[in-house]
Amino acid sequence: MLRQDINELLTQTGPGTPMGELFRQYWIPALLAEELPENDSPPVRVKLLSERLVAFRDSEGRYGLIDEFCAHRGASLWFGRNEEAGLRCPYHGWKYDHTGQCIEVPSEADNSSFCENVKLTSYPLVKVGDLLWTHMGDPAKRPGLPEYEFLHVPPEQTYTSKRWQQSNWLQAFEGGIDSSHVTFLHSGGLKSDPLFKGAKGNEYNMKDTKPFFEVADTEGGLFVGARRNAEPGTYYWRITPWVMPAFTMVPPRGDHPMHGHFWVPIDDHNCWTYSFDYHPVRSLTEQERQAMIDGHGVHSKNIPGTYRPMANMDNDYLIDREAQKRGETYSGVAGIAMQDASLQESMGPIVDRTKERLVPADSGIIKARQKLYKSAVALRDKGQTPPGVDPEHHRVRSAAVVLPAAESFLDSCRDAVKVVPGAPQASV
Ligand code: FES
Ligand SMILES: [Fe+2]
């Protein structure tokens, strides 16, 4: 269990909160690049860390992420006209550039000197990989751009999707470092999902329902090692990296692409789950890419034109009790992503962690909370830069390996959990 005040500290990310300030130290995903597909395409509403913003791509291809509301009398700039290198409020025509600077007040005679003093809050918006990233903290402390491997392999080797999750970011993230649920909740997917099935590791996963956890501190976060029995005298290790604040990678399965997530708070009751797949050394096959688009693996099938999953809390995630009885799914919900989301959302928008009963299989979660708490307090009280801000910390991989029983996972896997361009993943 967790004290109520610590639960609040870890789950609240609005401006001025300790965890909100922590998130504002990092580059975080703001949108998929596909949401602003061309110059002068329609602006997009973006709520991040409880701030309401609007994103646009101007006539010259510059990305802007600015306050959603017009400085004049507060109309939403989502209704704005994106034209001639700026976003124009359709109410009285005030116009802003990609930095939020007001550049025209057409209803007033002498508008140029007036404009100079009108500037909306704005944040940088930069394309890295298939994502647009923002940094909402102090520009003087802006770190180097993200270096996660999935962003830097050739485009044919990677695919990223996103979905709206109706829960606080922390309970979503906690699912990402919780290897023990896989044997239960995702048992159907291990047998049938085109992006998971067929790996030797799946057999170890299914046979040993009681993994032993070993958690190692790293410069940027943690490595959570889950150990299961393999052949006599050996163990199957699944190693999940976490880079602060909210990047995790699922341990791979055979030669399937590797995947992972980034959880980004929208506000305290909602988050974006960004889900990516990539293969470090080869292109994704057509079938793999299609499976991802169809919502297999870590991805979801969304309502067309939105990032809301088709299976959602309003339709009980299309639960199929017959499929559950037949053993096709463990919970009755189809798809790995929605199996996770359904249960994480079922806890309520912010789970009451004062009531939980943690067990040794939750040790990764316990360590992650401790590290988040310590980092948020050290930032608040001493201005200390938290782990994971340095792009060096991003160069990690997950791994799934069989090791002799006597070997420690960290000593044996130092190379396997590092990004080595051109080297395949360590995976069984
Ligand atoms: S409210 Fe935007 S120009 Fe008046
Ligand atoms: Fe899961």
Side-chain angles (χ1 to χ4, degrees):
M1 64 161 262
L2 207 61
R3 276 185 1 225
Q4 179 59 19
D5 60 313
I6 297 181
N7 197 29
E8 281 169 16
L9 185 141
L10 295 179
T11 53
Q12 296 174 353
T13 58
T17 61
M19 191 55 65
E21 288 310 302
L22 185 92
F23 264 98
R24 284 166 174 80
Q25 304 301 302
Y26 301 88
W27 286 97
I28 55 172
L31 302 121
L32 289 175
E34 68 180 27
E35 295 181 72
L36 294 174
E38 55 193 26
N39 296 355
D40 289 337
S41 53
V44 179
R45 289 187 191 95
V46 177
K47 193 175 186 194
L48 280 181
L49 309 179
S50 299
E51 293 186 46
R52 288 182 64 173
L53 306 163
V54 67
F56 67 106
R57 177 168 164 181
D58 76 8
S59 319
E60 285 158 38
R62 296 173 300 192
Y63 291 107
L65 182 62
I66 64 175
D67 192 336
E68 182 184 338
F69 302 102
C70 180
H72 177 213
R73 277 171 36 215
S76 170
L77 293 169
W78 180 79
F79 292 94
R81 300 170 60 93
N82 187 9
E83 60 191 12
E84 293 162 344
L87 191 60
R88 189 185 292 282
C89 178
Y91 209 174
H92 314 92
W94 291 28
K95 186 174 175 183
Y96 304 90
D97 73 7
H98 69 292
T99 69
Q101 179 65 50
C102 182
I103 49 174
E104 208 185 312
V105 176
S107 57
E108 302 303 310
D110 175 23
N111 72 72
S112 59
S113 53
F114 176 75
C115 276
E116 275 169 28
N117 298 316
V118 179
K119 188 172 188 301
L120 296 172
T121 298
S122 79
Y123 302 112
L125 193 61
V126 180
K127 183 175 182 299
V128 186
D130 292 332
L131 290 166
L132 300 178
W133 297 77
T134 190
H135 179 264
M136 295 168 67
D138 180 358
K141 285 170 54 188
R142 192 161 291 157
L145 289 167
E147 292 197 7
Y148 300 104
E149 189 177 27
F150 79 100
L151 302 169
H152 294 284
V153 294
E156 57 278 9
Q157 291 173 216
T158 183
Y159 175 82
T160 304
S161 69
K162 80 174 197 183
R163 64 178 166 79
W164 172 28
Q165 176 151 344
Q166 292 175 269
S167 82
N168 184 263
W169 81 278
L170 187 63
Q171 64 212 53
F173 153 68
E174 287 175 349
I177 52 170
D178 166 18
S179 187
S180 75
H181 78 278
V182 175
T183 316
F184 302 97
L185 182 62
H186 304 316
S187 51
L190 292 188
K191 284 180 269 171
S192 63
D193 191 288
L195 298 165
F196 278 59
K197 68 182 181 185
K200 176 75 186 155
N202 298 0
E203 293 170 23
Y204 308 130
N205 234 161
M206 291 308 299
K207 269 193 210 136
D208 188 349
T209 61
K210 300 180 177 59
F212 170 81
F213 280 80
E214 203 173 303
V215 185
D217 232 311
T218 64
E219 282 184 311
L222 296 174
F223 283 126
V224 181
R227 191 190 78 190
R228 290 176 173 87
N229 294 322
E231 280 71 33
T234 62
Y235 287 125
Y236 171 60
W237 283 93
R238 292 181 61 72
I239 304 163
T240 303
W242 167 50
V243 179
M244 280 185 57
F247 171 89
T248 64
M249 278 185 74
V250 182
R253 297 189 181 277
D255 189 48
H256 287 303
M258 310 179 79
H259 36 245
H261 303 282
F262 211 120
W263 283 278
V264 185
I266 296 172
D267 53 30
D268 296 345
H269 290 179
N270 297 274
C271 64
W272 288 120
T273 300
Y274 286 88
S275 305
F276 61 84
D277 253 289
Y278 74 99
H279 198 291
V281 297
R282 65 161 171 84
S283 299
L284 304 179
T285 66
E286 235 171 82
Q287 290 86 335
E288 285 170 342
R289 194 173 287 278
Q290 193 56 49
M292 293 165 197
I293 293 167
D294 291 342
H296 294 292
V298 293
H299 306 279
S300 57
K301 189 88 185 153
N302 295 336
I303 297 168
T306 79
Y307 294 101
R308 186 175 204 211
M310 279 176 151
N312 57 57
M313 65 163 65
D314 292 341
N315 55 28
D316 282 330
Y317 308 91
L318 306 171
I319 194 164
D320 182 344
R321 305 281 189 188
E322 292 306 313
Q324 185 179 28
K325 267 196 196 138
R326 289 194 300 271
E328 288 162 28
T329 56
Y330 192 77
S331 73
V333 172
I336 284 155
M338 296 321 297
Q339 287 161 2
D340 286 325
S342 57
L343 298 178
Q344 292 157 6
E345 292 179 356
S346 78
M347 298 167 174
I350 302 180
V351 65
D352 182 353
R353 292 182 174 78
T354 65
K355 291 191 180 145
E356 64 191 9
R357 288 161 175 241
L358 298 180
V359 291
D362 297 314
S363 54
I365 291 169
I366 295 166
K367 288 245 167 65
R369 290 177 188 173
Q370 287 168 345
K371 193 151 183 157
L372 281 170
Y373 181 74
K374 238 175 76 187
S375 307
V377 169
L379 173 69
R380 182 192 66 192
D381 296 346
K382 298 184 215 142
Q384 206 170 295
T385 301
V389 167
D390 184 343
E392 278 286 328
H393 299 170
H394 303 172
R395 298 198 200 119
V396 295
R397 278 184 185 172
S398 57
V401 292
V402 174
L403 297 175
E407 282 183 29
S408 108
F409 89 85
L410 206 63
D411 288 342
S412 308
C413 294
R414 277 188 206 285
D415 288 335
V417 295
K418 256 194 245 157
V419 170
V420 181
Q425 69 271 41
S427 177
V428 289

